[in-house]
Amino acid sequence: MPQRIVAGNWKMHGSRQFLAGFLASLTGDVLAKAGCEVLLFPPATLLPLLSAQAPDLGIGLGIQTVHPESQGAFTGEIAAEMAADVGATWTLVGHSERRQIFGESDADVALRALAARRAGLRTMLCVGESLAERQRGDAEAVVTRQLDAVLEALGDDLATGGIAYEPVWAIGTGETASPEMAQAMHAMIRGVLRRRSERLAEMPILYGGSVKPANAAALFAEVDIDGALVGGASLDPAAFLAIIRAMETHGNP
Ligand code: PEP
């Protein structure tokens, strides 16, 4: 049975003051008792602060991207080793904003996944098609190509991480894939993984794209949806907790 995960991607949002307020609203041991793994991907500036408190709260920590090299003249970049040094145990790779805005190719994404492995970080590999690709009928081919690029590089080692299926047209738009549509793609992804190995087929496959308390339960009821990668709603502690609770009550056993 794949691990169930609810993860928050804060993107380029958050200050020390915001973090203090966010943590203050996570009262008691609600996360420790969540029944799923809870991850946060804050901006890198907040990693050291969060890593001091996250383990006690039962939160796993990740960075949003890493540079392929471990050090060097790459102004503005952060190495996987540096993220690990300040407490990250996960990294996102291949988020659609990295692919679209920063021009990361499948090969670039694979290099970042290799860097994560080198530093001992678990990889949350984001895949997903654009609206134009879906309308052309290419959604499955695009997602398979994105998966294969990293599977070729990492093979079974990818199994320590997770996959986040995030249709680009659903990210930050308020549009969500219907549970049936998401389930169909998750099953396809599971099939691609299973053709490589049973270990890979056990990876958690998260759905991402405008997940909110109102739609989380229906998504989590689908058999191949093992959790969510949440953007906007993860900045609101009440909404994030409600999504975690939806996983507890409606996630697959
Ligand atoms: C994301 O950025 O990974 C994401 C899914 O964002 P949102 O939930 O805001 O659509």
Side-chain angles (χ1 to χ4, degrees):
M1 185 63 63
Q3 170 72 42
R4 296 183 299 165
I5 299 176
V6 174
N9 171 18
W10 285 1
K11 311 190 187 196
M12 200 171 74
H13 297 287
S15 59
R16 288 184 296 170
Q17 191 184 3
F18 168 80
L19 178 64
F22 187 93
L23 293 178
S25 53
L26 303 181
T27 47
D29 54 357
V30 57
L31 293 182
K33 291 202 313 215
C36 64
E37 201 166 341
V38 177
L39 305 177
L40 279 180
F41 294 88
T45 49
L46 295 179
L47 273 175
L49 260 178
L50 242 180
S51 73
Q53 303 174 63
D56 291 341
L57 287 163
I59 300 175
L61 266 193
I63 191 160
Q64 296 172 11
T65 183
V66 292
H67 189 272
E69 301 296 330
S70 58
Q71 59 179 328
F74 302 105
T75 301
E77 294 292 314
I78 297 175
E81 284 79 358
M82 293 169 173
D85 187 43
V86 292
T89 55
W90 284 84
T91 183
L92 298 178
V93 297
H95 190 278
S96 62
E97 287 152 17
R98 300 295 315 174
R99 293 179 192 263
Q100 292 199 322
I101 303 171
F102 300 98
E104 287 182 15
S105 64
D106 289 334
D108 293 328
V109 173
L111 287 175
R112 283 162 171 75
L114 285 167
R117 179 176 70 180
R118 185 187 65 222
L121 297 181
R122 299 167 73 184
T123 296
M124 184 64 71
L125 168 62
C126 304
V127 295
E129 80 285 0
S130 67
L131 184 59
E133 289 162 341
R134 175 160 283 269
Q135 286 170 341
R136 280 202 305 269
D138 289 342
E140 293 200 356
V142 167
V143 168
T144 303
R145 191 202 69 219
Q146 292 172 340
L147 278 174
D148 280 344
V150 178
L151 285 166
E152 289 301 324
L154 255 69
D156 254 31
D157 288 347
L158 188 63
T160 58
I163 307 287
Y165 168 58
E166 302 201 301
V168 178
W169 46 271
I171 294 183
T173 59
E175 293 285 328
T176 322
S178 69
E180 299 75 23
M181 199 189 276
Q183 164 58 27
M185 187 62 89
H186 281 226
M188 197 284 301
I189 291 169
R190 187 91 63 206
V192 170
L193 297 170
R194 180 160 287 119
R195 280 197 286 286
R196 298 238 175 200
S197 78
E198 272 310 309
R199 193 166 160 240
L200 287 164
E202 282 296 304
M203 288 179 73
I205 305 175
L206 279 54
Y207 172 78
S210 299
V211 175
K212 298 181 178 58
N215 58 27
L219 288 161
F220 295 158
E222 296 291 341
V223 67
D224 286 301
I225 299 183
D226 305 313
L229 179 55
V230 186
S234 71
L235 291 162
D236 173 351
F240 193 51
L241 280 173
I243 293 168
I244 292 166
R245 290 206 185 92
M247 170 54 87
E248 281 173 54
T249 34
H250 299 277
N252 302 301

